[in-house]
Amino acid sequence: VRLRQHYGAVFGKERAIAERLVAHAASRDRILIDNIGRTIAESLLWCETADFFVAPWGAALAKYRWVCNKPGLVMTGRWNLAHRADLSIYHAPNLNEDPVALWFIDPAAVQDDVAPDETDPEKLGRCNYRLDCSLVRDQLLGLLASHHQAREM
């Protein structure tokens, strides 16, 4: 019961964030698709129709990369960017058939939320992190502009 309550609370927080992001995008005549709580089939449909994605590092990247092979920007902690042994599994040519471009968040835009004396790789690889939103925005706008230009060629 505690586990269900915990994940229910997390799901509620994710929904609230997604609702704010969707409303913000709509106020700027943009469409943002909220896939939280959707079936795998629905999620794959939206993934296939997407031009570009922005997502946190994790298993959901399998849909964007291995199934639909979409270009995108991946967010993860600074420790992961520097040390994660399997960071290339979603874009390495030996693991993906003709992979399209994949970018990672600029390490300068990321600050891990971890105790300064922490050395456990499991904790370092799963810690929360903070993003410098202005740096992320600039990186994303540059990627979207280059992606748009490449599509028009």
Side-chain angles (χ1 to χ4, degrees):
V1 172
R2 280 187 183 169
L3 191 59
R4 189 176 312 138
Q5 290 172 337
H6 169 74
Y7 286 111
V10 170
F11 183 75
K13 288 177 185 178
E14 286 182 347
R15 297 282 321 134
I17 292 169
E19 288 169 5
R20 288 195 311 267
L21 289 170
V22 168
H24 181 74
S27 73
R28 289 172 167 63
D29 293 326
R30 302 289 188 265
I31 298 171
L32 187 136
I33 304 299
D34 169 12
N35 262 337
I36 297 172
R38 294 190 188 253
T39 66
I40 295 290
E42 289 173 306
S43 183
L44 286 172
L45 174 71
W46 283 114
C47 180
E48 187 56 40
T49 61
D51 291 325
F52 192 92
F53 72 87
V54 178
W57 171 265
L61 287 173
K63 290 183 286 190
Y64 296 112
R65 301 296 298 169
W66 291 343
V67 177
C68 298
N69 196 24
K70 295 293 179 172
L73 177 64
V74 177
M75 299 175 295
T76 190
R78 184 180 275 232
W79 187 91
N80 283 340
L81 291 169
H83 303 288
R84 189 171 183 98
D86 63 350
L87 197 63
S88 67
I89 64 171
Y90 297 111
H91 65 284
N94 63 323
L95 301 172
N96 300 268
E97 186 176 334
D98 297 323
V100 297
L102 182 69
W103 297 273
F104 289 87
I105 199 80
D106 181 347
V110 185
Q111 177 185 354
D112 290 345
D113 274 347
V114 65
D117 59 344
E118 183 59 66
T119 59
D120 179 359
E122 182 69 22
K123 289 181 182 174
L124 291 167
R126 295 183 180 272
C127 72
N128 289 330
Y129 52 89
R130 297 174 193 271
L131 299 174
D132 179 326
C133 292
S134 64
L135 290 177
V136 174
R137 184 198 68 228
D138 292 347
Q139 181 182 10
L140 181 58
L141 290 175
L143 292 173
L144 289 173
S146 65
H147 174 69
H148 184 70
Q149 284 178 336
R151 284 182 42 147
E152 289 186 345
M153 291 182 169

